[in-house]
Amino acid sequence: MDFARAREARRLRDFQARCRTVTDVNRGALGRLFQTGLIFTRQGARLGRDLLLAHQHLLRVSDLLDKIGELPDPGGDGDATALYEEAQALLARTTELAARCSVVLARGS
């Protein structure tokens, strides 16, 4: 059994799961924005744009993770590391945007 491959496979699955979780949170926040009617306010419109930007980030993360999955040896070269770092940065930015939206939605409710 190749432990390095198993670690890389688990790392990829963890990133994919985190991406799905953040996507669900983002989708829920956007839905609440519409349900509460806050989308029709200036602050709500700005929040909606932020959530759409976050969604674009998540699509990019998904593409990066697909590229990592297609690499012949993800743990063996710097390509995977660079892709993981970019994915991590995008997920962090998306999480920040979703948290900001949650704060505004909590105040608006």
Side-chain angles (χ1 to χ4, degrees):
M1 177 174 209
D2 186 3
F3 290 116
R5 278 194 189 275
R7 273 192 302 274
E8 285 302 316
R10 180 178 174 114
R11 184 178 185 193
L12 183 58
R13 281 192 314 270
D14 289 346
F15 261 91
Q16 289 168 336
R18 184 170 174 213
C19 186
R20 281 190 300 272
T21 300
V22 174
T23 299
D24 291 343
V25 168
N26 189 16
R27 187 177 293 125
L30 193 55
R32 284 191 312 276
L33 201 58
F34 276 98
Q35 288 173 348
T36 60
L38 287 174
I39 191 73
F40 302 110
T41 66
R42 179 174 292 182
Q43 186 177 24
R46 189 173 304 125
L47 230 47
R49 284 192 308 267
D50 287 347
L51 287 170
L52 290 175
L53 176 63
H55 185 71
Q56 288 176 334
H57 288 329
L58 291 168
L59 291 174
R60 175 70 179 145
V61 169
S62 180
D63 288 344
L64 290 171
L65 295 176
D66 287 344
K67 284 181 184 179
I68 292 170
E70 294 171 359
L71 291 174
D73 184 17
D77 59 5
D79 291 341
T81 302
L83 293 173
Y84 274 124
E85 288 173 358
E86 185 177 351
Q88 181 66 35
L90 289 170
L91 278 174
R93 176 72 178 134
T94 301
T95 302
E96 176 187 315
L97 290 170
R100 186 171 6 149
C101 290
S102 295
V103 169
V104 171
L105 285 170
R107 273 191 271 145
S109 299

